Amino acid sequence: MSSNASHAARFRQLHAAGLLLLPNAWDAGSARLIESLGAKAIATTSAGVAWANGYADGDQLPVAQLVATAASIARVIAIPLSVDVEGGYSDDPATVADNVVRLAGNGVVGINLEDGAGAPELLCAKIERIKRECAQRGLEVYVNARTDVYLRGLAPAGERVEPTLARAAQYRDAGADGLFVPGLTEADDIGAVAARAGMPLNVMLRPNLPDTATLESLGVRRLSAGSNLSEEAFAHTRAGAREFLRSGRSPASTDAMGYGAINGLFADR
C-alpha cells in the first residue's frame, strides 16, 4: 500500500468512531511538536499558515507557499496530514482540483474546503472535480466540507440547523467525506446536525462549546483547535519580545522547552 493510501485509510478510520482531537499546526516545527505529544493526525490552520508566511488569512496565501508548507510538514511527521485550503484559492473548480492534486502529491490526505459566502453549488462543483481528478491519479483525499451557516450567520439564530443540513446533503452527494460547521456550539443543534448530516461532524473549539465527553455523546467525530494555538504562540512571542526590547532580558518562565528538547524533535527527520 502506498504512503498516500495507508495514511488516507488511517485518516478515514480516525473519523469512524470516538472523537478525533486535531490541534492545528501552522508549520513543520509546530506540526512535529504536536505529533510528539501523541496527536493521531495533523491538520493545519489556514490563518496560522498565512501568518507564518507573512500573509493575511482569507485566500491571500499564494498556492505555492501552501504547497511548500504542506511538503515541509509531511517531511517531518509520520501521521496523516490534512490541510485547510480555505475556498481552494479560486472560483474555478478545475483550478481548485489542480491545487488539491498538488497537495496530495506532497503527502496531504485530507483537506478542509469552505463555502464561505458563496453558493453551495459552487462548493459542490469543486468537490466533484477534486474527487474526479484525484481518483484519476490514484490519490485519496478526505474532503471535509466546511459550511459557514453558523460562523457567518447565513440564517437567523435559532433557524440554522435546517439550512446547514440542506447544504450537508448537497456536499455529501457531491462526494464530501465529512462536514465541518465552525460556530456550531449549542448542544441541541450539534446533536441534530450530527444525527442527520450523513457524514462525520467536525466542530471547532469555542469558549462555550460543550466538553469533549458531551461532544462525543452527541455524535461529533472531530474537534479542531482552529487558529487558537497559533494565536497563543503569537501572544507568547509578543510578550517575550516586548520584555526583551524593554529590558534586554527575557520574561521569567518555567514553560520554555529549551534548545536541546526542541532540537531533539528533528534529530532523526
Side-chain angles (χ1 to χ4, degrees):
M1 183 179 291
S2 69
S3 176
N4 171 268
S6 61
H7 276 180
R10 176 57 180 156
F11 193 58
R12 186 176 299 278
Q13 182 184 43
L14 289 171
H15 293 80
L19 180 64
L20 173 61
L21 298 177
L22 283 179
N24 300 76
W26 55 93
D27 60 12
S30 59
R32 176 67 189 104
L33 174 59
I34 291 167
E35 180 191 37
S36 76
L37 299 174
K40 296 178 180 179
I42 293 293
T44 65
T45 157
S46 67
V49 172
W51 298 335
N53 284 281
Y55 293 87
D57 191 26
D59 288 294
Q60 301 299 306
L61 182 70
V63 173
Q65 291 289 101
L66 178 66
V67 173
T69 297
S72 68
I73 293 173
R75 183 185 68 81
V76 299
I77 64 172
I79 55 179
L81 171 61
S82 181
V83 168
D84 185 344
V85 301
E86 304 189 66
Y89 304 97
S90 177
D91 286 335
D92 174 37
T95 300
V96 173
D98 181 64
N99 293 340
V100 175
V101 165
R102 290 172 64 188
L103 289 166
N106 282 277
V108 173
V109 297
I111 61 164
N112 279 9
L113 185 67
E114 66 195 52
D115 53 18
E121 292 75 16
L122 177 57
L123 184 56
C124 288
K126 292 177 181 179
I127 295 168
E128 290 170 352
R129 189 64 178 259
I130 288 167
K131 285 293 186 176
R132 183 165 68 248
E133 296 294 332
C134 286
Q136 289 175 354
R137 292 163 175 79
L139 298 168
E140 296 184 41
V141 175
Y142 184 104
V143 177
N144 201 34
R146 168 177 149 173
T147 181
D148 284 352
V149 171
Y150 280 81
L151 195 64
R152 291 176 178 258
L154 301 181
E159 301 177 18
R160 293 173 182 165
V161 169
E162 294 305 324
T164 297
L165 289 169
R167 291 186 181 220
Q170 290 179 267
Y171 302 155
R172 185 182 65 243
D173 290 346
D177 302 286
L179 178 68
F180 183 27
V181 190
L184 175 61
T185 60
E186 295 295 328
D188 289 346
D189 286 10
I190 291 172
V193 173
R196 298 168 55 196
M199 298 181 284
L201 175 62
N202 179 189
V203 297
M204 187 166 67
L205 184 63
R206 283 289 186 268
N208 54 339
L209 194 71
D211 61 31
T212 54
T214 301
L215 290 174
E216 185 171 350
S217 71
L218 290 170
V220 176
R221 290 288 170 259
R222 175 167 161 180
L223 172 61
S224 301
S227 62
N228 281 270
L229 296 178
S230 183
E231 291 174 29
E232 290 175 12
F234 267 85
H236 283 295
T237 302
R238 178 179 62 183
R242 177 180 288 156
E243 179 60 25
F244 177 78
L245 290 169
R246 186 192 69 82
S247 67
R249 298 287 186 270
S250 61
S253 173
T254 59
D255 296 332
M257 284 183 63
Y259 176 92
I262 297 172
N263 207 48
L265 291 173
F266 310 101
D268 59 349
R269 305 292 155 145

